[in-house]
Amino acid sequence: MNQSEVYFTDLRTNNEMNLVDKMEKVAVAAGLKKLPLKDKLVALKVHFGEPGNLSFLRHNYTARLSQIVSASEGKPFVTDANTLYKGERSNAYDHLKAAEQNGYTSVTVGCPVLIADGLRGHDHREIPINLKHFDKAFIASGIAEADVVISINHFKGHGAMGFGGAIKNLGMGCASRDGKNRMHSSTPPTIKRENCVGCNECVTHCAYNAITLDGQNKAVINKETCVGCGQCVSTCAFDAAQVTWQHGGNDLAERVAEYALAS
């Protein structure tokens, strides 16, 4: 296995060079300007951060990389994919509002800001990988169709895997909601009956006719026809349709790494 070169810089600033300048120096040393960027669609993959959360990279770092790509005649865009969990980044409308609250706009970063997997997180391309856990990966179309992908990520803790960085940013972060669901679970979503109000939204939005309402007006998932896409999870406003969380630790880390290779 090839080993990657790792560069470090002193976080202390001085009058000659600030942190953004240091980041550029490290990026250039790592070969950024040697990439084939001219006339290429370049995805700058970031984590916009949840509103109110301070643990995300500020937009000025991304803006500097956008400037470098543009100066090389590339076509940069800043992007992330929707989350599987309910929150303010689970659909493109809320996700873009969250990005704006945290300083990410086309004005501040100098290029378009896009959500890679569409309005509800199901816009993806199937990438053949034929590895231990998956034969194919569901990668957000905005990532899969880019010519170049540059990961801009911070070092963070993760409840299931310990710590995450570039591999998690590319693996979990570039997957559509369907891909994220497959990394976390190999079984269909479940219905928490006490939360179900019989609104019929999951039935309407299921593309595989796998959900019906029973005699008590509660949703029921047919596990024989369900493909585990997670559409019911994303459309349920009452947290009744839920992901079956099965994989964590080393198993989840392996799954995320396989998706990172596909990205």
Side-chain angles (χ1 to χ4, degrees):
M1 180 180 293
N2 294 330
Q3 293 184 341
S4 300
E5 290 188 62
V6 178
Y7 298 81
F8 293 90
T9 184
D10 194 330
L11 288 178
R12 292 173 294 181
T13 60
N14 53 49
N15 293 331
E16 297 180 358
M17 186 175 293
N18 61 34
L19 288 177
V20 177
D21 290 334
K22 288 185 175 183
M23 183 273 298
E24 177 179 346
K25 186 176 181 180
V26 170
V28 171
L32 176 60
K33 292 184 177 180
K34 296 179 182 179
L35 294 176
L37 300 176
K38 185 177 181 180
D39 297 325
K40 302 298 185 181
L41 291 169
V42 182
L44 304 178
K45 172 61 179 72
V46 301
H47 183 306
F48 293 125
E50 292 283 354
N53 188 338
L54 299 178
S55 57
F56 61 92
L57 285 176
R58 303 305 184 263
H59 61 81
N60 50 333
Y61 294 95
T62 302
R64 179 63 64 85
L65 293 179
S66 172
Q67 291 172 4
I68 296 172
V69 173
S70 295
S72 299
E73 300 183 62
K75 300 176 180 179
F77 63 95
V78 180
T79 191
D80 195 8
N82 291 306
T83 60
L84 181 61
Y85 60 83
K86 295 290 184 180
E88 296 186 64
R89 295 188 301 120
S90 60
N91 64 75
Y93 180 87
D94 293 332
H95 203 160
L96 287 173
K97 288 180 65 177
E100 290 179 2
Q101 290 182 48
N102 286 337
Y104 282 89
T105 70
S106 60
V107 174
T108 60
V109 297
C111 65
V113 178
L114 308 174
I115 302 303
D117 57 349
L119 183 61
R120 295 186 182 275
H122 299 287
D123 188 358
H124 60 238
R125 299 292 178 266
E126 296 184 16
I127 309 298
I129 52 176
N130 298 313
L131 296 172
K132 175 182 176 180
H133 297 283
F134 302 107
D135 60 350
K136 60 186 176 182
F138 289 12
I139 302 300
S141 60
I143 299 293
E145 296 179 3
D147 299 307
V148 178
V149 179
I150 298 175
S151 176
I152 308 171
N153 54 270
H154 58 294
F155 185 68
K156 60 180 291 188
H158 186 272
M161 293 187 295
F163 290 102
I167 293 177
K168 183 175 182 296
N169 189 44
L170 292 173
M172 189 68 73
C174 290
S176 67
R177 287 174 59 89
D178 303 341
K180 291 180 173 70
N181 185 38
R182 283 166 169 76
M183 276 183 272
H184 282 293
S185 176
S186 56
T187 62
T190 57
I191 300 295
K192 191 173 183 179
R193 291 181 63 84
E194 57 267 35
N195 290 357
C196 181
V197 300
C199 68
N200 210 51
E201 284 296 304
C202 58
V203 176
T204 301
H205 286 90
C206 180
Y208 301 92
N209 298 316
I211 308 177
T212 56
L213 297 183
D214 64 13
Q216 296 178 316
N217 207 37
K218 301 290 185 179
V220 177
I221 298 176
N222 184 336
K223 296 184 178 181
E224 297 299 320
T225 54
C226 176
V227 300
C229 70
Q231 177 70 10
C232 55
V233 177
S234 64
T235 57
C236 181
F238 303 95
D239 200 29
Q242 300 183 351
V243 174
T244 305
W245 302 99
Q246 289 181 308
H247 302 292
N250 291 337
D251 188 50
L252 177 58
E254 289 178 358
R255 290 166 173 260
V256 171
E258 290 186 5
Y259 261 69
L261 289 173
S263 300

